[in-house]
Amino acid sequence: MEPKTSHKGFGSRLGFILAAAGSAVGLGNIWRFPYLAAKYGGGFFLLIYLILAVTFGFTLMLTEVAIGRRTGKSVLGAYQLVEKHCAPMGWAAAVIPALILPYYCAIGGWVLKYMTMFITGQGAQTAEDVVTASGESSSFFGSFISDLGGPTVFFIIYVVLNAAVILLGVQKGIEKVSKILMPVLALLIIAIAIYTATLDGAWEGIKYYLLPDFEGMTAEKVFKTIAGACSQLFYSMSIAMGILVTYGSYMKRDFSLEGSVRQIEVFDTAIAFLAGLIIVPAVFVFSGGDKEALNRGPGLMFITLPQVFETMPAGSLIGAAFFILVALAALTSSISLMETVVAAVMEKFRLSRVKSCIIVFGITIVLGMLSVLGYSAWSGVTVFGMQFLDFFDFITNSLMMPVLALATCILIGWVVGTKYVEEEVLHGEKKFGAKWMYRVMIRFVCPVFMIIILITPFITDI
Ligand code: PHE
């Protein structure tokens, strides 16, 4: 099958790597990875995560990028071109980012609010409790999201920022923005990590984060650690969101596929690791070594961390740097989501980039407002017992994405054969170093891991 390169793609290999790394590095790296690592025995989790990244993550990421590059199509056309009965996979790969983008932008709006508060010197307020209109005391975060106006304004600003980059196109928009933002993000995170390491008492936290904790290690705990690391990795590498196929379709055929995927993987893991080096010791110092403080899910980033910054010397500056970092990480991820949907709409309906962008912008605003309203005016409304945001998160992350990834493994491993990907890797490269590992992983190991990811949320509390 001859490749069709219908898009104007990335101009350089570095541009592709930074854009894909920009997609991979997101909120998942910054708040989710550190608290999972802390929860599942520190160094032990890190070790398992690392092994999974170079095997499981590598295999899935390589597969998607190869499908994109070989077909040169957006997700809707790509899966169908691999196998004509696979059109539904293409639809799933377009619907998933269309459902994630709106709620991700709602969270992006919260991040923008915090960033603005810290930059304008009002960061301390975010650490305080406030009295709400009904006379109850609530965290700043709780009262901010339960108000309709603020979150709506910041949500809309955030979506407009995304759309602006998408409108500029792949090279002038996504590639350029990633080439500027990603190095800034890397420098910021290194600087903040060095600073937190110098705080009094940070060492205890660093030890807790890095040294494996085998105490009370049972078979069940090991299983949970592996399942937790697997699903974190899967989300962190932006797998089964259609993104890697789309970005792959913009990649020139003479760029090294294997090497690029390895570099994206290293970048993503390094940023997650550094985020842990900031958050675990910082929260440790603040809470006097209370491990529970790390276990607060989303509240960790919006409630605990501002309190931590509040107690630090130069805390407002660090807080501002931190929230700029989070905003950059979130922005490059949501850009990749939006591009995937816009590319699919452009190809399917033969529309211009501007028109597709307007359509996707409209859908994002409408669906995203459901998540914004779900915390405020419509806080009583639930879908299957979940708030809108949690509902969208659940159907995409826990259901649709693992199913799509499993289907992709079966498609390449068993239906069209691993040659499909291998040939693409060998295009312009002499050797596929990890060929044997790839074959075993895609046919046997990855499907099993995907099934584990799919069933664990239903059988445990991960
Ligand atoms: N990889 C992102 C992260 O770690 C997740 C993500 C990517 C979410 C792209 C949305 C879009 O946070």
Side-chain angles (χ1 to χ4, degrees):
M1 196 184 310
E2 266 315 292
K4 298 180 186 62
T5 21
S6 55
H7 303 282
K8 196 166 173 291
F10 292 110
S12 67
R13 180 169 167 223
L14 182 69
F16 166 76
I17 292 172
L18 290 181
S23 169
V25 173
L27 301 173
N29 300 56
I30 298 182
W31 70 261
R32 196 156 180 268
F33 181 89
Y35 87 79
L36 280 184
K39 179 170 165 190
Y40 292 118
F44 181 62
F45 178 89
L46 296 181
L47 186 68
I48 296 221
Y49 187 88
L50 219 60
I51 296 172
L52 288 174
V54 296
T55 53
F56 172 72
F58 170 80
T59 304
L60 295 178
M61 185 179 256
L62 185 80
T63 304
E64 289 193 24
V65 180
I67 290 177
R69 192 169 80 167
R70 183 158 178 163
T71 59
K73 293 266 181 210
S74 84
V75 280
L76 283 180
Y79 286 96
Q80 202 173 12
L81 208 57
V82 178
E83 218 305 309
K84 61 176 184 303
H85 300 296
C86 288
M89 287 171 70
W91 279 102
V95 169
I96 290 168
L99 291 179
I100 299 179
L101 179 65
Y103 82 76
Y104 205 83
C105 288
I107 302 176
W110 303 346
V111 174
L112 276 191
K113 166 75 181 176
Y114 272 61
M115 187 184 91
T116 335
M117 292 289 284
F118 274 92
I119 290 179
T120 55
Q122 304 171 73
Q125 280 179 36
T126 62
E128 285 160 15
D129 280 352
V130 285
V131 180
T132 58
S134 55
E136 287 160 45
S137 164
S138 136
S139 64
F140 173 85
F141 178 61
S143 84
F144 169 67
I145 60 171
S146 59
D147 174 34
L148 183 57
T152 305
V153 171
F154 281 96
F155 160 66
I156 293 175
I157 298 175
Y158 187 87
V159 185
V160 169
L161 283 177
N162 275 276
V165 177
I166 300 298
L167 277 178
L168 289 170
V170 180
Q171 262 185 38
K172 289 206 196 103
I174 301 172
E175 182 165 355
K176 226 185 190 149
V177 166
S178 309
K179 273 180 157 171
I180 301 169
L181 298 192
M182 295 313 286
V184 174
L185 182 146
L187 287 179
L188 262 180
I189 202 161
I190 293 172
I192 309 177
I194 294 175
Y195 174 77
T196 34
T198 63
L199 295 176
D200 265 353
W203 191 235
E204 277 310 302
I206 295 179
K207 276 206 308 220
Y208 177 67
Y209 179 52
L210 295 182
L211 297 180
D213 173 16
F214 290 114
E215 213 189 275
M217 201 43 101
T218 56
E220 190 196 337
K221 254 190 153 171
V222 173
F223 174 80
K224 278 190 172 178
T225 307
I226 296 177
C230 248
S231 62
Q232 168 63 16
L233 183 79
F234 179 74
Y235 182 74
S236 187
M237 294 213 171
S238 303
I239 285 158
M241 297 182 183
I243 294 169
L244 296 167
V245 174
T246 308
Y247 278 13
S249 78
Y250 300 151
M251 188 188 187
K252 287 210 177 79
R253 298 199 88 202
D254 49 1
F255 295 164
S256 156
L257 238 166
E258 195 180 359
S260 307
V261 169
R262 283 273 177 240
Q263 281 164 5
I264 300 165
E265 203 177 69
V266 169
F267 202 108
D268 184 59
T269 309
I271 299 287
F273 175 75
L274 285 172
L277 262 190
I278 295 173
I279 290 173
V280 179
V283 173
F284 237 70
V285 173
F286 165 75
S287 64
D290 173 19
K291 295 166 191 152
E292 275 309 299
L294 279 163
N295 215 350
R296 299 215 176 115
L300 175 69
M301 192 158 90
F302 292 110
I303 301 171
T304 317
L305 279 178
Q307 292 169 352
V308 173
F309 295 139
E310 180 59 5
T311 59
M312 278 182 178
S316 346
L317 195 70
I318 297 299
F322 179 81
F323 280 104
I324 294 174
L325 174 86
V326 181
L328 300 183
L331 203 59
T332 44
S333 293
S334 47
I335 286 171
S336 69
L337 285 170
M338 193 167 200
E339 176 63 22
T340 302
V341 190
V342 168
V345 172
M346 272 165 79
E347 194 178 279
K348 179 75 193 169
F349 302 105
R350 298 182 187 282
L351 289 176
S352 67
R353 179 167 281 271
V354 179
K355 284 191 184 134
S356 312
C357 195
I358 294 173
I359 294 173
V360 175
F361 179 84
I363 297 174
T364 306
I365 294 286
V366 172
L367 288 182
M369 275 316 289
L370 289 179
S371 292
V372 173
L373 282 162
Y375 282 100
S376 50
W378 293 356
S379 60
V381 185
T382 55
V383 197
F384 297 115
M386 288 175 262
Q387 274 181 320
F388 284 110
L389 194 152
D390 297 332
F391 172 72
F392 286 127
D393 182 56
F394 179 77
I395 51 167
T396 49
N397 271 307
S398 303
L399 297 176
M400 297 173 76
M401 285 159 56
V403 170
L404 176 63
L406 181 61
T408 309
C409 292
I410 295 171
L411 173 66
I412 298 297
W414 299 93
V415 181
V416 296
T418 53
K419 280 254 168 319
Y420 190 89
V421 168
E422 288 164 21
E423 282 166 15
E424 191 53 40
V425 173
L426 288 173
H427 201 98
E429 218 169 359
K430 287 195 192 66
K431 214 168 118 237
F432 180 9
K435 183 169 82 187
W436 280 100
M437 182 197 81
Y438 179 79
R439 287 186 182 170
V440 175
M441 289 302 299
I442 192 88
R443 300 188 66 179
F444 305 104
V445 185
C446 292
V448 172
F449 280 172
M450 288 327 306
I451 292 170
I452 293 180
I453 292 182
L454 203 53
I455 59 174
T456 29
F458 298 96
I459 56 172
T460 69
D461 58 349
I462 289 179

